[in-house]
Amino acid sequence: LRNAISYCIDREGYSTTIAHGTVEPSYGVFPTSLSFGGTDGLDLTVNRFDVDAAKKLLEDAGYQDTDGNGVLEKNGQPVEIKMIAMSSQTGQVQLCEVLQNQLSQIGIKVNLEVLEKISDARSSGQFDISCESYSMAGTGTAQSFITQMFTTNGSSNFGHYSNEQVDKLVEELSNLEDTTGQDDLIKQINQYIVDDCSY
């Protein structure tokens, strides 16, 4: 399901149409402007916008629209998700609206809630997808961002992502005495994040 949703994110279209070319589409976590960024060397499951691939993934996983209402079901449950966005982030709201429409075309019902502030919804876990914007490497390193977002108890890990290998690598990253090996560790973490398709 996560990979199918990721296939429906038109990164290139968002970059050119919504952001007017001011952002760079990415299938990894970090931008190419960072030494550990981009997707070179990563094994990507999703590397393009591909609605047909999304449909096939869902079909192969047993999702079907048995009652003909346009919404897929699995084990008798409709595929309905809640997406939240912050009203002041108009570009992100547009992105969410486009994704909501795109997902409806493959049978996923998205209830989009545009909120003045999303801190309460994030903290309580009252969402399935959230559109966010963070500074990833304000000091030239991604240590703080990675710790906040990807570790099991990270302060900004609102989706409760947890991967034991990521936790170990983040701890190893925090214990580096110099920057030697930093890029390799971050790329290893990036691979897990891409594999798990949680962001």
Side-chain angles (χ1 to χ4, degrees):
L1 180 61
R2 290 177 184 274
N3 281 314
I5 290 171
S6 190
Y7 268 124
C8 288
I9 300 173
D10 183 5
R11 294 157 175 83
E12 288 78 10
Y14 297 154
S15 173
T16 57
T17 306
I18 294 176
H20 307 292
T22 60
V23 299
E24 177 182 313
S26 177
Y27 290 86
V29 177
F30 299 102
T32 56
S33 57
L34 299 170
S35 59
F36 46 80
T39 57
D40 287 347
L42 296 181
D43 181 20
L44 299 175
T45 301
V46 176
N47 60 5
R48 65 195 182 280
F49 172 60
D50 193 334
V51 175
D52 290 335
K55 288 179 180 177
K56 176 129 181 31
L57 273 180
L58 294 172
E59 182 181 341
D60 291 348
Y63 291 89
Q64 297 179 327
D65 179 11
T66 58
D67 57 11
N69 70 348
V71 178
L72 297 171
E73 307 107 35
K74 188 166 184 183
N75 301 323
Q77 296 296 315
V79 183
E80 187 171 341
I81 58 179
K82 178 179 176 181
M83 185 184 328
I84 59 173
M86 195 156 49
S87 58
S88 61
Q89 301 289 331
T90 55
Q92 290 181 13
V93 172
Q94 286 179 302
L95 186 153
C96 289
E97 290 170 344
V98 173
L99 181 58
Q100 178 186 39
N101 181 58
Q102 193 65 60
L103 292 177
S104 73
Q105 294 177 35
I106 66 165
I108 297 176
K109 183 178 181 182
V110 177
N111 299 308
L112 173 60
E113 291 190 20
V114 179
L115 308 168
E116 191 172 323
K117 65 176 193 169
I118 60 175
S119 54
D120 291 343
R122 286 189 310 195
S123 299
S124 63
Q126 304 273 325
F127 70 97
D128 298 301
I129 298 179
S130 174
C131 190
E132 310 267 341
S133 179
Y134 288 91
S135 174
M136 293 179 159
T139 60
T141 175
Q143 171 70 52
S144 177
F145 173 76
I146 288 172
T147 302
Q148 291 173 17
M149 295 297 294
F150 305 143
T151 59
T152 298
N153 297 310
S155 60
S156 296
N157 183 359
F158 302 111
H160 306 291
Y161 173 71
S162 182
N163 183 312
E164 185 178 345
Q165 294 305 314
V166 169
D167 288 346
K168 286 179 181 176
L169 288 168
V170 172
E171 184 176 359
E172 191 177 335
L173 182 65
S174 67
N175 290 329
L176 282 179
E177 293 185 1
D178 57 41
T179 58
T180 305
Q182 171 185 273
D183 287 6
D184 181 58
L185 281 174
I186 294 174
K187 281 193 173 278
Q188 288 180 57
I189 293 166
N190 198 355
Q191 183 65 66
Y192 281 110
I193 301 304
V194 169
D195 288 346
D196 292 337
C197 202
S198 295
Y199 290 86

